[in-house]
Amino acid sequence: MATIKDVAKLAGVAISTVSYALNDSTRISQATKDKVLEAAQQLNYRKNGFASDLKRTKTNTIALILSDLAGPFYSELTKGVQEVSMTNGYDLIACSSQGGAESTAVKFLREKRVDAAIILAHNISDDIIIQSARKGFPIILLDRQLSIDHVVQVEVDNHQGGYDATEHLIQHGHKDIAFISGPQNAHDSEMRYSGFKAALRDHDLLHQTKWLMQGDFTREGGYRATKILIAQGNLPSGVFYANDEMAVGGLQAFRENKINVPGDISIIGFDDIQLAEFTTPPLTTIKQPKYEAGALAIHLILQQLSGQIVNPYYKLSTELIVRKSVK
C-alpha cells in the first residue's frame, strides 16, 4: 500500500507539500497540487481509515498520547494538561502509543474520536500525524519537529539543557565525560546529545565514543548502560544521563559495584523528576517545565478550537538544579 512518502518521492516534493495538496492548502500553487494529485492517483494512494471527510460531532474530549503512561516524568505533564482541560469543560483521555501504528492511540487519531491531540510519542510516525492533522482537528507535538499546517510544536530547549549539564561537569574539573542517551529515534535525546557535544567542543575536550551508551529513558535502561560502562574499565570522571530515570538506575549500578557518587564519579541527569531530590546522593539535574509544557499545550489547543490563530512553534527554557551528585 502506497504511503504519503511514496507520493512525495514520485512527485519530487516534500512530504509537507503532499499534505498541503491533499488538503487543498493555499500555501502551494495549483500546478504543484496537480502534480501531487497525479502522483497520488498513479500510486492509487488513499487516506484509508482516516475519517477526515466524515461528518463529526464535537466530543469535548482531547487525547494526550504518550510513549508510556508509567514513569514519574509524565505525571507533572499530565497534571498540567488535565487541570487546564477540566477548567475549560473538556475531558482528557491519556493513551499509550505502545504498538505504534496498531495502537489505540493511532485509532483515536485516524478515526477522529476526539477533538484534538497532544502527542509526546516518538513511535507515532510523521506519516500518521501528517494525515491526521486537519482544520478543526489541531495537534500539538511536544519535543519533536514537524512543520506542517494544523500542527503546533512545543519544545523544551533540550540542546541548551544538554550544554548546561555538560558545562557544569566541566566547571567542576571533569574532562572525561560519558553520555547515556535515550532511544535512538528520540528527538529530545538527540538534542541533549548535541548540547553535550557542543559543550565539549567549546572547551576543547575530546568526545570519546567508548563513553557513549544507549539507554531507553527507563531506570532499567540506565542501570544496564551503567553496568556496561563499569565493565569496560577505565571509567570517566563524570556521566551525563539524558534523563533522571536512567540516572537513578545508574546510581544503583554504581552502588552495587561500590563506586561512590560523587566521590569516585560525578553524575547529572535531566528532567528534575520528584524522586531526584530524594536519591542518595540527591541528583544534580536539568529541570524542564513539565507542568508548564502541558498547560501551554492545552491552552494552544483551546485557542485553535475557538478559531484563533497561534504561532506554529514555542520553545521553553530549562534550569540547572544543583544538588549533591557532582563534585
Side-chain angles (χ1 to χ4, degrees):
M1 182 182 296
T3 69
I4 197 168
K5 291 181 180 178
D6 297 326
V7 176
K9 184 176 180 180
L10 181 60
V13 298
I15 292 174
S16 57
T17 303
V18 177
S19 175
Y20 297 147
L22 296 177
N23 289 288
D24 199 26
S25 171
T26 57
R27 295 179 63 171
I28 61 175
S29 68
Q30 187 59 49
T32 301
K33 287 181 190 177
D34 292 342
K35 182 169 65 172
V36 170
L37 294 175
E38 183 180 349
Q41 186 175 16
Q42 287 182 35
L43 294 171
N44 196 30
Y45 174 77
R46 297 288 185 275
K47 293 181 281 186
N48 293 332
F50 288 79
S52 57
D53 297 325
L54 299 180
K55 184 177 180 180
R56 299 173 55 246
T57 57
K58 200 171 187 292
T59 67
N60 268 48
T61 304
I62 295 167
L64 174 62
I65 299 175
L66 305 171
S67 297
D68 191 342
L69 296 182
F73 169 79
Y74 296 110
S75 61
E76 282 295 300
L77 173 73
T78 303
K79 185 178 180 181
V81 175
Q82 181 175 283
E83 289 186 357
V84 176
S85 59
M86 290 180 65
T87 300
N88 287 273
Y90 278 79
D91 293 322
L92 178 69
I93 295 178
C95 310
S96 167
S97 64
Q98 295 294 324
E102 303 304 318
S103 66
T104 301
V106 171
K107 290 180 181 178
F108 275 110
L109 291 175
R110 284 176 167 165
E111 299 172 14
K112 305 297 188 295
R113 298 183 185 181
V114 291
D115 295 334
I118 300 168
I119 301 175
L120 177 57
H122 60 269
N123 59 343
I124 300 293
S125 71
D126 288 354
D127 198 40
I128 289 171
I129 294 168
I130 289 168
Q131 295 183 58
S132 300
R134 295 286 186 277
K135 183 177 181 180
F137 187 81
I139 291 177
I140 305 292
L141 280 185
L142 300 179
D143 276 349
R144 183 166 172 177
Q145 293 184 344
L146 181 63
S147 182
I148 61 169
D149 282 348
H150 315 302
V151 169
V152 174
Q153 304 160 76
V154 175
E155 186 174 10
V156 169
D157 196 345
N158 290 293
H159 176 90
Q160 186 63 50
Y163 188 99
D164 292 344
T166 310
E167 188 166 59
H168 183 68
L169 288 169
I170 294 170
Q171 288 174 347
H172 280 74
H174 299 284
K175 297 181 179 179
D176 300 327
I177 305 172
F179 181 79
I180 311 297
S181 76
Q184 189 172 9
N185 56 345
H187 173 72
D188 46 3
S189 179
E190 290 174 0
M191 296 309 295
R192 292 167 198 177
Y193 181 47
S194 73
F196 166 78
K197 291 187 293 183
L200 292 181
R201 186 169 58 248
D202 287 351
H203 289 273
D204 297 320
L205 297 176
L206 291 176
H207 168 45
Q208 301 199 42
T209 55
K210 68 177 180 178
W211 289 332
L212 172 62
M213 303 287 171
Q214 183 177 320
D216 55 8
F217 277 161
T218 66
R219 195 174 305 183
E220 296 76 14
Y223 176 83
R224 289 192 300 267
T226 305
K227 294 284 280 188
I228 294 171
L229 193 67
I230 294 169
Q232 285 184 166
N234 190 25
L235 280 173
S237 65
V239 183
F240 172 26
Y241 290 86
N243 80 341
D244 287 349
E245 283 200 72
M246 292 193 298
V248 172
L251 280 170
Q252 181 182 347
F254 287 129
R255 187 163 49 247
E256 289 177 0
N257 286 269
K258 296 182 171 47
I259 297 170
N260 180 266
V261 178
D264 300 320
I265 193 166
S266 292
I267 74 170
I268 190 167
F270 200 111
D271 284 341
D272 193 32
I273 60 176
Q274 290 183 348
L275 179 61
E277 63 178 309
F278 300 110
T279 58
T280 304
L283 183 65
T284 295
T285 186
I286 300 296
K287 180 178 183 178
Q288 62 163 309
K290 301 174 287 297
Y291 179 94
E292 292 82 355
L296 174 60
I298 192 68
H299 274 298
L300 293 171
I301 287 283
L302 296 173
Q303 289 174 44
Q304 291 178 90
L305 289 175
S306 67
Q308 298 179 50
I309 296 174
V310 301
N311 293 330
Y313 181 81
Y314 297 81
K315 181 174 283 189
L316 304 177
S317 299
T318 58
E319 177 187 358
L320 173 67
I321 304 297
V322 177
R323 294 195 178 103
K324 302 290 186 181
S325 64
V326 174
K327 180 180 178 181

